[in-house]
Each structure stands twice: as C-alpha cells, then as structure tokens.
Amino acid sequence: MLKYTKDHEWLRIEGDMATVGITPHASVQLGDLVFVELPAVGTNFAKGDDAAVVESVKAASEIYAPLDGEILEVNQAIVDDPSIVNSDPGEAGWFFKMKLADASAAAELMDEDAYNAMVGQA
C-alpha cells in the first residue's frame, strides 16, 4: 500500500512496517540535494516530528515522521550520495524504514490520486 502526506513524503506500507521517502514532486521542488541527515536507528517519533534533514542548492528542509513509530533502518546510500534522492526518489532514494505504532493510522493519509490532486498533477 502506498500512501502520501501533505508534507510530500511517501510511505510504502507492508503490515506494520513503512518505508518512507520524499515524492518526486518534492525532489524537483528542492533541487539538487547536497546533504542528507537521517535519524538514528531505534529512535521513536510521533507523527509530525522532525525525523531527517535534507539540504539542496536551494534550501534546507525537514523530513517529518509521517506516523508514530520506531526507526528500524536508514538508507546510508543517500547520505553517501544525496543525488540518489533526485534520480530515484520513489525507490532507491528512500530515507528510513519504521515500525508503525498503529498501522491503521495510515488510513488518514492520502492515496496517490489525492496527492496528485493536491500538487496539481491530477
């Protein structure tokens, strides 16, 4: 199941696990990324908490925890080479994987059609 937030994060949800990244739209808006800071494995976040930071040639931006949960894995490849997020934001450019405190809360998030409508790509 793929879900989206108003803050331009995507979540690929499998059971109580979510892989989280930023949308292609967000990647384009940010421009070329030059720095990514990811959360520590084992950190617990509440929905909306600052979970990661990206810096581009244009600006710095926070990546928010889309739901409550614990960070289980981070993508070291994007720390080593932030351009992966620009070239493949929906797959190889994922940020972190988290164990969701309540997977049913994902129902509150947008599906792809609703997200595309929000960003004017419908």
Side-chain angles (χ1 to χ4, degrees):
M1 170 174 37
L2 202 55
K3 291 289 192 171
Y4 297 84
T5 72
K6 63 179 176 48
D7 297 311
H8 308 286
E9 289 107 10
W10 58 261
L11 294 81
R12 186 172 299 110
I13 300 170
E14 299 171 37
D16 65 351
M17 295 285 298
T19 302
V20 179
I22 63 171
T23 65
H25 176 81
S27 173
V28 169
Q29 296 301 310
L30 285 168
D32 293 335
L33 294 186
V34 295
F35 175 79
V36 175
E37 181 180 319
L38 297 174
V41 171
T43 305
N44 285 289
F45 288 103
K47 179 180 177 180
D49 286 352
D50 295 351
V53 176
V54 294
E55 290 182 16
S56 71
V57 295
K58 293 181 180 180
S61 184
E62 283 77 29
I63 307 302
Y64 303 103
L67 296 169
D68 298 351
E70 177 186 358
I71 303 300
L72 297 180
E73 186 179 345
V74 295
N75 187 356
Q76 184 63 39
I78 67 170
V79 173
D80 298 339
D81 182 2
S83 71
I84 295 169
V85 177
N86 295 111
S87 63
D88 194 5
E91 292 293 332
W94 61 275
F95 279 64
F96 52 84
K97 295 182 181 185
M98 64 190 309
K99 181 175 175 60
L100 300 175
D102 178 7
S104 68
E108 306 166 8
L109 303 176
M110 291 181 273
D111 64 15
E112 187 172 12
D113 290 341
Y115 178 77
N116 286 338
M118 182 187 86
V119 297
Q121 296 178 345

